[in-house]
Structures are given as structure tokens and as C-alpha cells.
Amino acid sequence: MKYCQLVIGPAGSGKSTYCATLQQHTQNAGRTVHIVNLDPAAEVFNYKAAVDVKDLISVQDVQEDEELVLGPNGSLVFCMEYLVENFEWLHDALDEGEDDYFIFDCPGQIELYSHLPVMRQLVDALKSWDFNICAVFLLDTHFVLEAEKFLAGALTTLSTMVALEVQSVNVLSKFDMLSDRNKALVETFLENDARSILEQEPTTPWNQRHRLLTETIAGVLEDYSLVKFVPLNIQEEESIDELLLIIDNTIQYGEDLEVRDRFPEEQDGEDEQLF
């Protein structure tokens, strides 16, 4: 069995920084992970990529093609659809072995997850290659400091979870960049249920008019425990460790290794007695 994280989320949510942080963190812990850049528009990233989709196709290649005449978003969608048509290239480039662990740095265009089949096709391909998959959805913490925005962020992550149909861990990124006051506010949101979050918001004409709608949405999220968030402070090793442990448990990474390595001396003794 192989393992992977699909790092997804809106543009600017910190996906590449997250990948670079995990690469450094795991290297310091003596653990090997392979980073895959799946963003054909990415020009600079602060990690060493084992595989780069730009070796197959890039947004710049598409925009320079005079026959296609596509803008930036159209060019990116074209690139991702071209990748789907050439999954053999990706499989060969991964050259994965048993128990290998990959982190895929994915594009940030939300249409790839909301109504286009590209990312779901990637998920299906990875499953066929024997990968256990966790979608790691990053959401910039700065955008969820108000109750309505918090709920909107939860709905965005939920729509992605429904589209991909894989285990998901939702992460509030850039937590380290918040003021102490806003950190306390986010922690309050995380500790309370969705309905009580709405009660903390000041009354405005708009939320008065749509109060029933937002309360219903909050009720669905709460009653079915559909979306939970984990705050990530990349300046604290403990925060990174906690998140990585959650993801590893989600994809069952290390369970087989633990069984094989548990009590090795006793196992050797048992083997000698058997023979």
C-alpha cells in the first residue's frame, strides 16, 4: 500500500508553504516524503519536487500556443485535462514503491473541485495504483474570522469533500500570522458548535433577513459532524506533529510497519522455537 496527501484549497491559502514545511519537518524526523507539484502555473516553490507536472505541460506552454488562444484559467484547466489524458506519464514519474508517501501540491482554482471532473479522475487513478488518500483542504484563517465567513468556508470544504469522496482533513492555515486576539477568536469558533458561533455575531439587516438560512446551514454541519477544522501554526513543531498524526491516522500510515516491527526480539525467539 502507498500513501498520499492531496493538498488542496483556494489560491493563496498556503499550500506550497505547507508542503515545504512538511518536507523539512519530516526530514528532521528522519522520515522520507516525496513532494509532487501538480500546479502547471507554479513558477516558484520552496520545496524539492520529486515530480513536477511542468515537465509534461505548463500554463506558459499553453498560452504561447497561438492556436489555443486561452487565458490563464482556461490554460490551467487545459493543462489539468491534458494530465488526465496522460496519467501514464504521472504513474511512471512517481515510480512508487511499497509504503512510499507522497504529498501532491495541487492547483488552487476552485472550479477544479466544484464542477469539473479532473481532480476526481486523479483520485480514481491514485486508488487504482493502490494509494490510501487523504485530501488536506487548506483555508486561510484570516478569511474565517466572522461567523458567516466561517460557515462559508465550511461549505466550501464540504463541497470538495463531496466531489472527491475521500477521507479529508480540513486545516486553518496561517494561524501563526494572527494576532493573539484573533487566535482566541478562532479557538472559540473551534470549541463551540456552529449554532452558538452565529449567536456571537452582531445583528445586521442582512443576517436578520437570512437568519433562518444560516441557522439551518449551521444545524446541518453540526448535526452530521460534517466539517471540522485543525488550526496549523507552522512555527510550532507540536502543531505540525499533531496535524501530521491526524493525517497519518486517516490514511492508516505506519500501521503495517508497526505490526511488523513490534517486539522484534520476541518474534525472533518465537521463530526459533517453531524451527
Side-chain angles (χ1 to χ4, degrees):
M1 184 63 68
K2 283 84 71 173
Y3 308 88
C4 73
Q5 299 181 29
L6 287 181
V7 183
I8 59 182
S13 58
K15 297 184 293 298
S16 294
T17 300
Y18 168 85
C19 292
T21 299
L22 251 60
Q23 185 176 65
Q24 186 62 53
H25 180 80
T26 52
Q27 283 178 351
N28 293 341
R31 173 176 166 182
T32 301
V33 300
H34 309 284
I35 311 294
V36 179
N37 174 45
L38 277 189
D39 187 352
E43 297 180 357
V44 179
F45 36 80
N46 297 323
Y47 54 77
K48 181 180 180 182
V51 179
D52 188 348
V53 71
K54 297 198 304 297
D55 292 336
L56 173 69
I57 190 171
S58 71
V59 166
Q60 183 177 355
D61 295 334
V62 175
Q63 289 189 301
E64 290 176 353
D65 191 314
E66 296 179 357
E67 295 182 3
L68 294 174
V69 193
L70 294 171
N73 281 349
S75 297
L76 187 139
V77 171
F78 181 93
C79 289
M80 297 306 293
E81 290 176 342
Y82 186 82
L83 173 64
V84 169
E85 295 172 358
N86 292 272
F87 272 152
E88 297 84 0
W89 173 87
L90 179 60
H91 197 189
D92 292 342
L94 292 176
D95 190 27
E96 75 275 8
E98 192 67 17
D99 295 323
D100 275 354
Y101 197 118
F102 289 84
I103 300 177
F104 290 82
D105 185 7
C106 299
Q109 276 65 16
I110 202 66
E111 60 264 32
L112 295 174
Y113 313 98
S114 61
H115 60 276
L116 294 176
V118 173
M119 297 307 294
R120 176 55 186 269
Q121 289 168 321
L122 173 63
V123 165
D124 292 340
L126 290 171
K127 287 180 179 179
S128 72
W129 301 337
D130 246 359
F131 275 92
N132 275 359
I133 307 166
C134 178
V136 181
F137 192 102
L138 267 63
L139 194 64
D140 189 333
T141 313
H142 291 88
F143 296 132
V144 295
L145 296 177
E146 299 174 14
E148 284 84 358
K149 293 180 179 179
F150 190 88
L151 292 180
L155 288 178
T156 303
T157 60
L158 177 59
S159 67
T160 303
M161 292 165 61
V162 171
L164 297 184
E165 293 187 358
V166 292
Q167 297 290 332
S168 299
V169 174
N170 303 307
V171 179
L172 293 178
S173 62
K174 305 183 182 181
F175 191 74
D176 51 294
M177 300 175 67
L178 296 180
S179 65
D180 291 340
R181 176 183 178 278
N182 284 337
K183 285 180 182 178
L185 177 62
V186 171
E187 288 172 353
T188 299
F189 282 178
L190 297 175
E191 291 171 0
N192 290 294
D193 60 65
R195 294 185 185 89
S196 64
I197 291 173
L198 290 177
E199 295 174 359
Q200 303 175 35
E201 282 296 285
T203 301
T204 65
W206 194 95
N207 64 31
Q208 273 188 320
R209 189 180 309 118
H210 298 92
R211 188 72 177 183
L212 182 58
L213 172 62
T214 53
E215 287 179 349
T216 302
I217 293 172
V220 171
L221 292 171
E222 187 63 34
D223 292 344
Y224 291 89
S225 298
L226 293 173
V227 179
K228 299 295 181 184
F229 288 102
V230 180
L232 173 62
N233 185 337
I234 62 172
Q235 302 299 326
E236 296 181 358
E237 294 294 317
E238 184 179 352
S239 178
I240 302 170
D241 269 331
E242 179 183 348
L243 175 60
L244 190 55
L245 178 61
I246 292 171
I247 296 171
D248 287 348
N249 287 338
T250 300
I251 56 178
Q252 301 176 320
Y253 175 75
E255 289 191 2
D256 292 339
L257 292 175
E258 183 180 353
V259 171
R260 286 200 296 267
D261 294 340
R262 176 178 285 180
F263 311 128
E265 295 179 359
E266 294 184 17
Q267 289 179 352
D268 291 342
E270 291 174 359
D271 290 343
E272 291 174 1
Q273 292 176 8
L274 289 173
F275 292 96

